[in-house]
């Protein structure tokens, strides 16, 4: 059974940009709730538009159970997990937000993330602890909801969360929340012991939700397994690697390298740069002979981007000292702030892309601004 995505209720008018993107790429529906497949998720973070017809396919309980039965345990994870699962998986909206968080976080942040879930401090996360994530993201979303037809907003909540939400918020309303926070910040700030103890009394939290591929992957088919940090770290690292591999392979055509121009294209995607041609032309003139960017260089650059905040502080120190930022200073600041060593060729390529006035110095503000857009894939 298929249902046309352009439903007559025009629910997208009441959705935030992230919700709109999830609804656009999701391809499955179960008991009124929308889900992405692993394939859908990969498409959503590597493409501007879905490649498939805009339909939602209704899953039966039997089909869902079969999908979950075939989900591998977390210790069998790999950097090809999502590609191997393809359409054999279901990802909820809150899990989509969680996975997006992972893609933009440095490895050093993985331990912080794990400790936020590990509320009893036993170095393991159980299913109930992990499900707090669902509640936190949902509560944050209620604060952001657009005003309008209450009935349609309720329908939208049903699509995204699978049940009608109440107006009694577990999270306290904070005055400073008028400033939008990232979902990661919300998660970090909201996982207070008070919140967890409040939710711990709600045994209906897990029973009211359908199992998903991620829950079965982490906690087993019966939901009784516990997740340790090593497996959690490996999952996050694998996901980052998988998305980067997919982006790299889409340009490499089976070769071991991508061109410097392709690297520039990937960097400038999802940014607010209107005239990308000037950056590309600038680079073509200044790197006439193509040497290529390897996957290791490509991955190291995006690992650095995930540490952009720390790097920004290091860069500001140069600015405050009125020092110009050349390639050596840039490379040193990256290493000091993030521990990532960028190759001289990669640094030279980055400078040739962003050094618009061709003085061999980096435009600090422009570079940081564009990279923040790229890091958040257009949802800054």
């Amino acid at each position: 059974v298929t249902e046309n995505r352009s439903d007559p209720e025009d629910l997208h008018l009441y959705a935030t940009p992230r919700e709109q993107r999830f609804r656009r790429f999701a391809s499955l529906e179960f008991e009124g709730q929308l889900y992405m497949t692993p394939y859908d998720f990969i498409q959503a973070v590597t493409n501007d538009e879905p490649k498939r017809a805009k339909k939602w396919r209704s899953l039966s309980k039997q089909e869902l159970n079969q999908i979950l039965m075939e989900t591998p345990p977390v210790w069998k994870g790999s950097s090809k997990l999502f590609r191997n699962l393809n359409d054999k998986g279901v990802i909820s909206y809150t899990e989509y937000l969680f996975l997006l968080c992972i893609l933009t976080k440095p490895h050093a942040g993985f331990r912080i993330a794990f400790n936020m879930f590990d509320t009893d401090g036993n170095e393991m996360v159980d299913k109930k602890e992990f499900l707090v994530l669902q509640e936190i993201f949902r509560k944050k979303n209620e604060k952001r909801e657009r005003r309008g037809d209450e009935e349609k907003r309720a329908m939208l909540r049903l699509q995204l969360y699978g049940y009608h939400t109440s107006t009694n918020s577990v999270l306290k309303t904070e005055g400073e929340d008028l400033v939008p926070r990232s979902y990661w910040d919300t998660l970090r700030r909201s996982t207070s012991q008070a919140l967890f103890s409040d939710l711990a009394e709600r045994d209906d939290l897990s029973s009211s939700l359908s199992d998903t591929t991620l829950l079965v992957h982490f906690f087993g088919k019966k939901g009784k397994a516990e997740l340790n940090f090593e497996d959690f770290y490996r999952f996050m690292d694998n996901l980052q690697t998988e998305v980067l591999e997919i982006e790299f392979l889409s340009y490499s055509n089976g070769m071991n390298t991508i061109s410097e121009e392709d690297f520039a294209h990937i960097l400038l995607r999802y940014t607010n740069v209107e005239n990308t041609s000037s950056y590309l032309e600038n680079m073509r003139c200044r790197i006439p002979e193509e040497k290529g960017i390897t996957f290791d260089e490509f991955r190291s650059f995006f690992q650095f981007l995930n540490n952009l905040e720390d790097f920004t502080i290091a860069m500001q120190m140069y600015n405050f000292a009125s020092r110009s930022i050349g390639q050596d200073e840039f490379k040193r600041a990256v290493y000091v702030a993030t521990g990532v060593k960028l190759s001289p060729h990669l640094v030279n390529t980055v400078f040739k892309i962003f050094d618009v006035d061709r003085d061999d110095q980096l435009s600090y503000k422009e570079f940081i601004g564009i990279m923040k857009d790229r890091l958040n894939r257009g949802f800054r």
Side-chain angles (χ1 to χ4, degrees):
V1 180
T2 58
E3 181 183 328
N4 198 294
R5 193 182 293 259
S6 56
D7 57 80
E9 302 299 334
D10 286 332
L11 296 184
H12 66 278
L13 296 174
Y14 299 91
T16 64
R18 278 207 194 276
E19 291 169 350
Q20 290 171 0
R21 190 164 184 84
F22 179 82
R23 295 178 81 244
R24 202 159 69 243
F25 280 86
S27 63
L28 298 176
E29 178 268 330
F30 177 70
E31 295 183 347
Q33 184 175 358
L34 299 182
Y35 294 92
M36 282 181 167
T37 65
Y39 174 87
D40 295 334
F41 176 77
I42 292 297
Q43 290 296 307
V45 296
T46 57
N47 288 294
D48 296 326
E49 294 293 334
K51 289 185 176 178
R52 297 180 176 177
K54 297 185 176 181
K55 304 270 186 167
W56 292 320
R57 183 170 75 86
S58 292
L59 277 181
S60 66
K61 183 70 174 172
Q62 185 178 0
E63 286 175 312
L64 178 61
N65 287 339
Q66 185 59 40
I67 285 173
L68 297 178
M69 281 295 291
E70 296 173 11
T71 301
V74 69
W75 53 270
K76 282 191 176 179
S78 75
S79 63
K80 290 185 170 57
L81 176 68
F82 280 55
R83 283 170 284 185
N84 289 340
L85 287 171
N86 198 14
D87 283 332
K88 302 293 185 184
V90 290
I91 297 167
S92 70
Y93 175 63
T94 47
E95 289 171 341
Y96 164 69
L97 296 176
F98 169 61
L99 295 173
L100 287 181
C101 282
I102 290 175
L103 291 179
T104 61
K105 286 302 139 194
H107 287 189
F110 292 179
R111 169 59 80 174
I112 298 168
F114 184 82
N115 288 345
M116 287 191 300
F117 293 123
D118 179 22
T119 55
D120 55 14
N122 69 347
E123 295 293 311
M124 305 288 278
V125 170
D126 61 30
K127 185 177 177 180
K128 185 185 259 186
E129 288 174 318
F130 187 79
L131 280 173
V132 171
L133 169 85
Q134 196 106 346
E135 193 77 350
I136 290 169
F137 281 170
R138 180 174 70 80
K139 292 300 180 185
K140 176 180 176 62
N141 195 68
E142 284 182 4
K143 293 180 183 178
R144 283 188 165 185
E145 279 185 345
R146 297 180 178 180
R147 297 187 180 280
D149 190 316
E150 180 56 40
E151 183 182 347
K152 289 182 180 177
R153 287 197 292 131
M155 289 175 66
L156 182 62
R157 286 188 219 123
L158 185 65
Q159 277 191 349
L160 295 173
Y161 302 103
Y163 50 93
H164 291 283
T165 58
S166 68
T167 54
N168 296 326
S169 178
V170 176
L171 300 183
K172 293 177 182 176
T173 304
E174 301 167 6
E176 67 267 25
D177 244 20
L178 295 173
V179 179
R181 288 201 189 113
S182 72
Y183 283 97
W184 192 263
D185 279 344
T186 300
L187 183 57
R188 178 169 54 80
R189 290 168 183 266
S190 302
T191 47
S192 64
Q193 196 59 46
L195 172 61
F196 279 114
S197 60
D198 183 46
L199 290 173
E201 297 169 6
R202 294 187 50 190
D203 291 329
D204 65 316
L205 189 63
S206 56
S207 61
S208 65
L209 301 168
S210 297
D211 265 344
T212 62
T213 297
L214 214 53
L215 290 175
V216 172
H217 184 60
F218 286 160
F219 306 108
K221 294 173 177 64
K222 294 182 179 178
K224 302 295 185 186
E226 291 187 312
L227 184 65
N228 63 43
F229 175 67
E230 287 71 27
D231 288 337
F232 185 71
Y233 181 100
R234 191 163 55 248
F235 171 81
M236 296 177 84
D237 185 46
N238 281 337
L239 180 63
Q240 287 188 356
T241 300
E242 181 160 14
V243 170
L244 290 176
E245 280 178 357
I246 289 166
E247 290 191 298
F248 185 86
L249 291 171
S250 69
Y251 282 90
S252 68
N253 298 317
M255 306 292 284
N256 291 328
T257 60
I258 59 173
S259 70
E260 287 80 1
E261 187 172 340
D262 287 338
F263 176 67
H265 273 293
I266 294 172
L267 270 193
L268 295 171
R269 281 182 75 194
Y270 308 111
T271 68
N272 291 326
V273 174
E274 292 179 5
N275 187 17
T276 58
S277 58
S278 62
Y279 287 93
L280 297 174
E281 184 59 34
N282 184 50
M283 195 206 61
R284 283 190 210 107
C285 294
R286 305 189 66 196
I287 308 181
E289 291 186 18
E290 186 179 301
K291 181 181 175 183
I293 304 290
T294 67
F295 180 70
D296 283 345
E297 288 177 316
F298 182 78
R299 188 180 185 212
S300 68
F301 185 81
F302 284 96
Q303 284 178 335
F304 145 65
L305 274 196
N306 285 352
N307 288 272
L308 196 61
E309 288 181 14
D310 291 339
F311 171 75
T312 302
I313 294 169
M315 288 282 275
Q316 284 171 339
M317 291 175 71
Y318 281 118
N319 271 8
F320 294 149
S322 300
R323 288 183 59 178
S324 57
I325 299 165
Q327 294 192 24
D328 287 341
E329 287 85 4
F330 180 84
K331 196 162 55 172
R332 193 177 308 116
V334 170
Y335 181 68
V336 167
T338 70
V340 175
K341 286 187 175 180
L342 300 181
S343 72
H345 174 60
L346 184 67
V347 172
N348 183 52
T349 302
V350 170
F351 265 65
K352 295 302 184 280
I353 295 170
F354 291 99
D355 178 19
V356 180
D357 58 5
R358 305 190 180 188
D359 64 351
D360 218 24
Q361 306 293 317
L362 197 69
S363 170
Y364 159 76
K365 279 189 177 179
E366 189 169 39
F367 174 76
I368 294 294
I370 292 173
M371 288 302 94
K372 279 184 177 176
D373 274 339
R374 176 59 179 81
L375 179 64
N376 293 293
R377 295 173 183 270
F379 285 113
R380 191 173 161 194

